[in-house]
Amino acid sequence: MPEAAAIRRHFLASLQAAEAPHRPYRHWLLKQALPLESAAAIVDLPVRPAEIDDTQGKRDSHNESRVFFAGDLMADHAVCRDMAACFQAPETIAALQQATGADLEGCYLRIEYCQDKGGFWLEPHTDIGAKRFTMLVYLSTAADGPNWGTDIYDSEKRRVGRAPAGFDQGLIFVPGNDTWHGFEPRDIKGVRRSIIVNYVIPEWRARHELAYPDQPVQAA
């Protein structure tokens, strides 16, 4: 399986080749965001999807069931350690800042592993505030997976697009007061898998969610 440096080189090549639409806000669409071996290893992690009746349109409505590349999961699984090392690396931080304009210096890495099932939905929201950067990498293997991408809205909260969500495709945006996105209810047969990579401000309270709670990121 690729180690952190190989994951980083692969990801940075994908970032460099990403499409970057400007409407309704600047965002980046990635293809083959991760080495396929790494993406498959994430899918194979021994983590069962949580049984949630209703998300109430928010991920934080069931915080106790959320899974992060941190603590025991990082200690026990090489792919989690290597993914975290990739996105903590100064070279990655420098490339992300240059490509997107995000101010990441002094922030902390947070990687969530999501496994959404039927009934999942998210209301339109912006991620503004404590998150300085958001990336989703879609890892669904189901036939309908490509239709399970993030919905993108304009300033009036009208859906204007949907991120392509084929296996190993990704979406990046820099949270702002116009970055409306969500997940409209749709039929999910199987599991909608993804990772969400955030860089969050030092004041982030849930330190157990962070890959390196005592190590802020720095650019090369």
Side-chain angles (χ1 to χ4, degrees):
M1 188 177 67
E3 296 183 351
I7 296 172
R8 183 180 73 245
R9 289 191 296 270
H10 184 106
F11 170 73
L12 294 183
S14 178
L15 177 65
Q16 187 173 24
E19 298 178 36
H22 283 76
R23 296 182 178 179
Y25 49 83
R26 187 85 184 273
H27 57 283
W28 291 260
L29 300 173
L30 307 175
K31 296 179 180 178
Q32 298 179 354
L34 306 173
L36 285 178
E37 282 185 75
S38 302
I42 295 171
V43 172
D44 288 341
L45 286 170
V47 179
R48 294 179 61 84
E51 297 296 333
I52 297 175
D53 292 331
D54 185 1
T55 64
Q56 302 172 29
K58 300 179 180 179
R59 285 203 180 276
D60 62 7
S61 62
H62 293 82
N63 273 340
E64 71 284 353
S65 66
R66 300 171 77 175
V67 176
F68 298 91
F69 286 12
D72 290 343
L73 198 64
M74 266 181 50
D76 294 342
H77 300 285
V79 67
C80 299
R81 294 193 298 273
D82 290 337
M83 286 289 296
C86 164
F87 289 103
Q88 182 78 6
E91 296 86 352
T92 304
I93 302 305
L96 289 174
Q97 291 190 143
Q98 182 176 8
T100 69
D103 180 11
L104 305 181
E105 289 281 350
C107 289
Y108 289 79
L109 173 63
R110 177 180 183 262
I111 304 176
E112 182 171 7
Y113 179 37
C114 305
Q115 298 184 93
D116 307 316
K117 300 181 71 175
F120 171 77
W121 66 286
L122 290 174
E123 65 184 3
H125 60 288
T126 61
D127 279 5
I128 195 170
K131 297 177 181 177
R132 293 283 181 84
F133 172 94
T134 297
M135 178 177 74
L136 298 96
V137 177
Y138 304 104
L139 299 172
S140 297
T141 56
D144 292 339
N147 189 46
W148 296 344
T150 303
D151 291 306
I152 296 172
Y153 303 86
D154 64 16
S155 59
E156 302 299 321
K157 300 184 186 178
R158 295 175 296 204
R159 190 172 79 85
V160 297
R162 177 171 291 170
F167 190 82
D168 206 20
Q169 291 185 276
L171 167 69
I172 289 173
F173 60 90
V174 178
N177 57 15
D178 63 340
T179 55
W180 293 98
H181 62 286
F183 188 84
E184 297 196 353
R186 68 203 77 160
D187 190 17
I188 298 178
K189 294 180 179 178
V191 182
R192 177 186 184 254
R193 292 184 174 88
S194 63
I195 60 168
I196 303 175
V197 177
N198 294 122
Y199 294 96
V200 300
I201 62 174
E203 293 79 9
W204 190 266
R205 293 183 178 180
R207 308 304 289 183
H208 68 281
E209 299 176 355
L210 305 179
Y212 304 101
D214 301 317
Q215 299 179 38
V217 301
Q218 295 181 330

